[in-house]
Amino acid sequence: MHTDGNPATGTSARQHLIGLLEGLLRRAPGTTRALLGSGDGLKLAFTDQSTDDADSLAAVISGLYSLGRQQFKETAGGIRQVVVEHDGGSLFVMSAGAEFTDDRAVNTVLAVMATPDADPGQVGYEMEAFIRGLDEHLVVQARPNSFSGSGL
């Protein structure tokens, strides 16, 4: 998400993303919450959850996506989706930006929570449609490493 540093512009952009996430939920029956987060675990926009829950979910999806990428690092292609199934529902996680090789950029990750009766195919389709509509302007610049050279 690009902002020009103006707080009003940032709020407007975030509200627009929230509206788009809410539209995704309306188009995919059985979905309950959505979150767009940075690949390094920060929430960018979310629906129907507290800020604390969104912070937690952003960290979880970043970790899940990172683990998937690490497992297949020697294989051509990218992670398309990570799904966690539970008796109470499912968590779908997808990359929301192209795979970038620039170490200064981190990927953006989309998560959708769904009830057990949600159609996984419909959820995946709507997530992909959402992502195609946003594309590369969701790249988030990585935070500078303040521990450079310290081994941390």
Side-chain angles (χ1 to χ4, degrees):
M1 176 172 66
H2 292 293
T3 61
D4 59 9
N6 178 337
T9 303
T11 300
S12 176
R14 181 168 284 118
Q15 289 299 334
H16 180 69
L17 285 174
I18 291 168
L20 293 173
L21 289 170
E22 289 170 343
L24 183 159
L25 296 179
R26 283 190 301 273
R27 291 185 305 274
T31 56
T32 58
R33 295 185 285 169
L35 181 136
L36 194 61
S38 68
D40 61 353
L42 299 176
K43 66 185 178 309
L44 300 175
F46 57 93
T47 65
D48 300 325
Q49 56 197 303
S50 71
T51 299
D52 288 343
D53 287 346
D55 284 334
S56 177
L57 182 57
V60 166
I61 67 173
S62 170
L64 285 171
Y65 185 77
S66 180
L67 288 169
R69 282 182 60 186
Q70 183 64 28
Q71 183 61 40
F72 291 98
K73 68 182 179 183
E74 303 297 326
T75 306
I79 298 294
R80 288 189 292 268
Q81 185 177 51
V82 177
V83 179
V84 177
E85 292 183 2
H86 183 273
D87 291 341
S90 299
L91 168 63
F92 299 85
V93 180
M94 284 186 182
S95 170
E99 293 293 323
F100 293 91
T101 57
D102 184 345
D103 290 337
R104 296 169 295 155
V106 295
N107 210 343
T108 307
V109 183
L110 173 63
V112 172
M113 298 287 297
T115 62
D117 60 334
D119 177 356
Q122 180 70 28
V123 174
Y125 174 82
E126 294 300 341
M127 290 176 74
E128 286 181 13
F130 175 89
I131 292 164
R132 277 192 308 273
L134 297 176
D135 204 18
E136 71 182 44
H137 67 276
L138 288 176
V139 176
V140 177
Q141 293 301 313
R143 295 179 296 241
N145 182 355
S146 60
F147 300 107
S148 181
S150 67
L152 296 176

